[in-house]
Amino acid sequence: MYKLFLPLAVAIAVLAPATGVAQQKLSRPEPQSAGNEARSALAKKEPTSERSIGPLRVSKDNPRYFTDAAGREVLLVGSHTWGNFIDAGAGDPPPPFDFDEYLGFLVHHGHNFFRLWAAEQTRWVIVSQSDNHFFFPNAYARTGPGLALDGKPRFDLTKLNEEYFRRLKQRVDAASEHGIYVAVMLFNGWSISATKGNFRARNVWRGHPFNRDNNINSVDGDPNGDDSGEEIHTLSVPGVTQAQALYVKEVVRTLADSDNVLYEISNESNIDSVEWQYFMIDLINEEQKRLGVQHPVGMTALFPAGTDQPLFDSKADWVSVGGVMEAPTPADGSKVLIADTDHICGICGTRSWAWKSFLSGENPVFMDPYDGALCGSACDGTQMNDPRWMDVRISLGHIRALSIRLHLDKLIPSPELSSTGYCLATAGNQATQLVTYIEGSGTVTLDLERFDGRPLTVEWINPSTGKTWSSEPVDGGSRQTLAAPFTGDAVLFVHDAD
């Protein structure tokens, strides 16, 4: 049980250089098992209490990041999985998700962020042929009269389900107790369409409250009659928009005093949803203003056939875009960019991606198969301890630990300063910190002219374990070629003496 493990988030809070290691530039430590070394290097520090201290605001000094209530820049990293809010799976009701176990899992890995997943339908999924796939709870009350297509009472779209909002509040506040920020997903583009990309196994629209056969309010979310509900993520059906606004305002009211909240309009709605998402951003901000609160609102990737420009053109505080996993584009600071493997490549992720993303000014998060219970064949038989996904989870914790030592208010992507092209460095002519990632070869050439010839501390981090080594200082003011004191990929942290 993860909740019984030593909290890794606390154990790696400082990531100080390892002691007792020879400070010879090219010395090579004895090889150890990656898993054992990671545990011994990271879990040996004393745990302390840690809580979220939002609400988050976009940093005025470096808008690639948020700041907390104390004005400190915060890097968001974490793992999220589909069933962490709405129970889903075989059986009616479906098996309950162990949320306490999940929070322990996040704490153990040093994560401070996750997306809280929404599902709008009550039955069926587009990626499985099974009729025995249910979702619980739904945001709207099932009052009848009459039965919906899933065999249960029809919905009254003027009434909300108290159990849904009670669970929402409980889970967000429980995450706050562990210092974890939550992006609350309001809608889901995979809950409305008969076909999504290449997926069309079961028609999820048949299980949606806005299907005319499923509500008592004569609301028809499919006015063109094609047995698919793309119209409900547009502004074309006033009755739908009214019911959605009722739900969204109640979410905002429920979470008004939860300082660890961010909002996400919808997961991968299609390109026709843009104006509707803009409307929802405005609606949330208006309701927050009325309540005297302010939590960040985000807009995430459009799918299928979407482009990223509408996200950057929006009023959203943060965005998640598509892209190429192993070649992230440096964040320009126009929005806080939460780089999510869900939108980049689906069920995927590597250690090198996590470091490259971070050093491109992004906030990297992982679409985690978790125990594989909800993704079937798409997860390729994954288990909780699949080494592919463990590597990503652990790497995100290492990244966050390092970020706590960095001047995130001043660091910007600086690919020109490192021969590898992946580098964060202090902006301006008086640099104080530089971090770079070396994939494969352990040698890197740095342009240290910004450091004005003063002596610099050199720390090497083994990204597979989080263990660090100190090397001999180098002088700034010129180009320097450095070699890692261990084999494999490496992270190099060069900075002024502490």
Side-chain angles (χ1 to χ4, degrees):
M1 302 287 283
Y2 279 100
K3 55 194 169 189
L4 301 181
F5 290 173
L6 175 67
L8 193 59
V10 175
I12 61 178
V14 177
L15 199 71
T19 59
V21 179
Q23 296 187 14
Q24 296 297 319
K25 192 173 187 178
L26 298 179
S27 64
R28 306 257 181 204
E30 292 297 316
Q32 301 183 44
S33 152
N36 291 337
E37 186 178 352
R39 185 65 59 84
S40 63
L42 298 177
K44 63 187 180 183
K45 300 186 188 298
E46 292 298 320
T48 58
S49 176
E50 182 177 3
R51 294 192 180 193
S52 170
I53 50 171
L56 296 174
R57 300 282 188 269
V58 176
S59 170
K60 295 179 180 178
D61 295 318
N62 191 352
R64 296 169 182 82
Y65 306 105
F66 289 112
T67 58
D68 61 18
R72 296 171 297 200
E73 278 69 21
V74 176
L75 178 76
L76 299 178
V77 302
S79 295
H80 59 93
T81 195
W82 303 279
N84 61 11
F85 179 49
I86 306 296
D87 296 332
D92 184 19
F97 182 81
D98 192 333
F99 190 69
D100 289 339
E101 175 80 0
Y102 174 63
L103 287 181
F105 162 87
L106 295 173
V107 170
H108 171 71
H109 287 99
H111 299 177
N112 68 342
F113 172 86
F114 65 91
R115 296 166 75 200
L116 191 69
W117 274 76
E120 299 182 47
Q121 80 272 35
T122 60
R123 188 175 179 181
W124 298 291
V125 287
I126 203 169
V127 297
S128 170
Q129 293 288 348
S130 174
D131 274 331
N132 187 30
H133 197 109
F134 292 84
F135 296 86
F136 178 85
N138 194 272
Y140 298 96
R142 308 198 75 150
T143 63
L147 298 180
L149 296 175
D150 65 356
K152 291 186 173 184
R154 290 182 178 182
F155 292 92
D156 183 344
L157 300 181
T158 68
K159 296 180 180 180
L160 298 172
N161 179 3
E162 291 183 4
E163 182 174 356
Y164 182 97
F165 295 93
R166 183 165 53 248
R167 177 184 291 194
L168 176 65
K169 178 64 171 172
Q170 288 171 344
R171 296 203 171 177
V172 169
D173 286 354
S176 180
E177 289 295 314
H178 294 283
I180 298 174
Y181 295 95
V182 182
V184 175
M185 185 188 300
L186 296 166
F187 302 97
N188 194 334
W190 290 79
S191 290
I192 66 173
S193 300
T195 299
K196 189 78 168 172
N198 295 323
F199 297 99
R200 53 181 60 85
R202 282 288 182 267
N203 187 353
V204 299
W205 177 240
R206 299 183 67 241
H208 200 287
F210 295 161
N211 186 308
R212 61 179 174 271
D213 293 324
N214 294 339
N215 66 77
I216 65 172
N217 312 94
S218 300
V219 170
D220 183 1
D222 178 26
N224 68 2
D226 66 351
D227 203 24
S228 190
E230 287 82 3
E231 294 96 326
I232 71 170
H233 287 186
T234 71
L235 297 172
S236 62
V237 186
V240 165
T241 305
Q242 182 178 358
Q244 290 171 333
L246 176 71
Y247 154 69
V248 169
K249 289 180 179 180
E250 185 61 27
V251 170
V252 174
R253 286 192 289 267
T254 299
L255 300 177
D257 64 349
S258 298
D259 285 346
N260 60 325
V261 167
L262 307 83
Y263 293 110
E264 174 184 355
I265 301 303
S266 186
N267 174 62
E268 296 188 350
S269 291
N270 67 26
I271 189 67
D272 293 333
S273 72
V274 169
E275 293 303 321
W276 170 78
Q277 295 205 52
Y278 289 178
F279 172 85
M280 290 298 169
I281 292 171
D282 288 339
L283 178 67
I284 293 170
N285 285 332
E286 289 168 3
E287 185 65 12
Q288 292 197 113
K289 182 177 180 181
R290 189 184 70 80
L291 296 171
V293 297
Q294 181 183 348
H295 300 298
V297 184
M299 184 173 176
T300 60
L302 304 167
F303 179 83
T307 66
D308 293 331
Q309 193 57 48
L311 281 62
F312 290 101
D313 291 341
S314 75
K315 296 179 184 177
D317 302 296
W318 63 275
V319 298
S320 288
V321 301
V324 178
M325 183 175 69
E326 295 292 350
T329 301
D332 63 7
S334 58
K335 302 281 187 185
V336 176
L337 207 168
I338 297 178
D340 191 339
T341 55
D342 182 32
H343 311 307
I344 297 170
C345 48
I347 301 169
C348 59
T350 62
R351 179 170 72 233
S352 59
W353 160 77
W355 281 100
K356 290 176 181 178
S357 173
F358 166 55
L359 296 177
S360 297
E362 301 176 338
N363 297 256
V365 301
F366 175 44
M367 177 73 258
D368 199 321
Y370 200 55
D371 59 5
L374 292 181
C375 52
S377 60
C379 283
D380 191 26
T382 191
Q383 300 295 322
M384 177 69 81
N385 293 328
D386 188 311
R388 296 172 296 175
W389 314 138
M390 289 180 67
D391 196 26
V392 180
R393 298 163 186 156
I394 291 171
S395 295
L396 291 173
H398 294 167
I399 288 167
R400 180 179 166 229
L402 176 60
S403 77
I404 295 171
R405 299 180 60 197
L406 299 179
H407 303 152
L408 291 181
D409 58 327
K410 299 180 178 66
L411 289 172
I412 64 172
S414 304
E416 73 281 2
L417 300 185
S418 171
S419 59
T420 71
Y422 296 101
C423 178
L424 282 179
T426 312
N429 295 324
Q430 296 294 322
T432 59
Q433 293 183 332
L434 180 151
V435 184
T436 189
Y437 175 71
I438 304 101
E439 184 176 18
S441 170
T443 300
V444 62
T445 299
L446 302 179
D447 182 350
L448 300 177
E449 290 184 3
R450 293 184 187 175
F451 288 85
D452 291 341
R454 57 192 184 276
L456 303 172
T457 298
V458 176
E459 297 181 30
W460 291 94
I461 303 168
N462 186 332
S464 69
T465 66
K467 191 172 182 180
T468 65
W469 284 261
S470 293
S471 292
E472 295 177 357
V474 298
D475 291 331
S478 64
R479 299 178 70 84
Q480 296 276 0
T481 298
L482 305 174
F486 48 84
T487 58
D489 58 337
V491 174
L492 175 59
F493 179 27
V494 177
H495 57 92
D496 285 347
D498 293 330

